[in-house]
Amino acid sequence: MLALPPGLDPDLLRAFVLIAEGGSVTRAAERVGRTQSAVSMQMKRLEETLGRTLLTRTPKGLTPTPHGAWLLCRARMVLALNDEIVSGFRDPPLVGQVKLGTPDDYALRWLPGILARFAETHPSVEVEVICLNSDILARHFAEGAMDLTLLTEGHVQSGWAAEEVWRGPLQWVGSARHAAHRRDPLPLALAHDGCTWRAAALGALEQVGRSARVTYNSATQTGCFALALAGLAVTVSTPAPLPEGLIWLGETDGMPKLPSMGIELVQSRAALGTPAARALAEGIRQGFALMDG
């Protein structure tokens, strides 16, 4: 009879994830309300079970080894599923309505999976999605029109309850059949003044002395993609599956490197006291963590 491999205790995985994310046993222990020695022992048990060193000490703190990095994204998925199962049986069903704002840049890439999982575990909560650019979303949020909103970095106001849920590089996007990126000055399709993506793109070009002009303004990512598809301009985006006919452009195409950009989740004071809104906020955090891993 074949012996089954040992199962992994979710508490051990949770200790590992918290240490890896915070770079410290102390911070992990504070988050779970346990002693440092108890968390260290959990980490030791996990490494003994898997037979690999998962964390190594660096000047910046504890960081995952190659085996640890492989485990980290999978541990997040296991814990998200574990928590979903437990809450599905223990928690009373949530009811209510949550108004969620999001730029269209993020709607297709991240929200479908997040909202589908949320609907499975909280079928009685109605989520109203408001899709606008970050500048307008921030104004509506300040007026109390939404419970939660995703915003591109640079639009959060002082005093708001905000947290970064994703960070990654901006990238240039152009047509696969045209060469707008070879023109001088470079034609750009970007959002209006005040958009952080626009400022990042223009700043990167100015830094390398590349002449450019914003020939098309669009409040949505879809509009910018349409102009790029037509070969009329180059635009920018966070990494995501591109529509057919568009390609990523980089330094080999003569385009300068773009900076990283964060996505922030903002919660209203009213939402912080609403179980349904808090549950959706947690679902958003987990969704970004899963796809980032």
Side-chain angles (χ1 to χ4, degrees):
M1 182 175 178
L2 291 174
L4 294 175
L8 291 176
D9 184 342
D11 287 341
L12 303 186
L13 291 176
R14 198 178 304 278
F16 164 67
V17 170
L18 291 176
I19 295 171
E21 290 178 344
S24 164
V25 174
T26 302
R27 283 192 284 271
E30 290 172 351
R31 289 183 64 180
V32 295
R34 306 193 70 177
T35 64
Q36 292 182 42
S37 59
V39 173
S40 295
M41 185 59 68
Q42 286 182 311
M43 199 57 236
K44 182 180 178 181
R45 284 174 53 199
L46 180 61
E47 290 184 327
E48 288 175 348
T49 299
L50 296 176
R52 293 287 188 276
T53 300
L54 302 173
L55 295 168
T56 185
R57 189 169 296 281
T58 71
K60 294 183 178 181
L62 291 170
T63 59
T65 63
H67 285 109
W70 185 90
L71 175 64
L72 183 58
C73 66
R74 290 158 180 82
R76 286 171 172 154
M77 289 188 283
V78 169
L79 291 173
L81 184 57
N82 177 81
D83 294 346
E84 182 180 305
I85 291 171
V86 172
S87 64
F89 282 93
R90 288 185 179 176
D91 296 344
L94 292 180
V95 295
Q97 183 185 62
V98 183
K99 292 184 177 181
L100 170 66
T102 180
D104 80 315
D105 320 64
Y106 313 138
L108 282 179
R109 180 183 179 192
W110 282 289
L111 281 190
I114 290 172
L115 295 179
R117 284 190 295 271
F118 185 77
E120 288 176 358
T121 54
H122 302 93
S124 298
V125 176
E126 179 184 345
V127 180
E128 179 183 342
V129 179
I130 302 162
C131 196
L132 297 165
N133 64 56
S134 288
D135 191 44
I136 297 175
L137 285 171
R139 292 205 302 270
H140 286 350
F141 181 84
E143 295 167 357
M146 287 168 290
D147 300 298
L148 312 168
T149 189
L150 293 168
L151 295 174
T152 300
E153 173 186 331
H155 292 86
V156 173
Q157 297 180 18
S158 175
W160 285 1
E163 59 187 291
E164 187 175 271
V165 291
W166 183 87
R167 174 164 288 276
L170 282 177
Q171 292 181 255
W172 297 102
V173 178
S175 169
R177 298 184 297 275
H178 305 87
H181 61 286
R182 302 294 184 195
R183 298 179 193 165
D184 187 27
L186 178 71
L188 297 171
L190 298 171
H192 54 84
D193 286 333
C195 171
T196 50
W197 287 17
R198 177 186 177 118
L202 293 175
L205 291 165
E206 183 179 0
Q207 201 168 36
V208 298
R210 176 81 184 269
S211 61
R213 59 192 180 96
V214 181
T215 52
Y216 301 95
N217 289 277
S218 174
T220 67
Q221 182 77 86
T222 303
C224 290
F225 278 174
L227 292 161
L229 269 170
L232 298 175
V234 170
T235 189
V236 296
S237 174
T238 51
L242 291 175
E244 184 178 356
L246 290 179
I247 57 172
W248 299 112
L249 301 171
E251 293 179 77
T252 57
D253 303 295
M255 304 301 297
K257 186 177 180 180
L258 290 165
S260 64
M261 195 64 60
I263 299 174
E264 297 183 274
L265 172 64
V266 190
Q267 302 179 67
S268 70
R269 295 189 181 278
L272 290 171
T274 304
R278 290 202 306 270
L280 179 56
E282 181 58 27
I284 290 171
R285 292 187 198 98
Q286 292 181 0
F288 274 92
L290 288 174
M291 283 174 276
D292 192 34

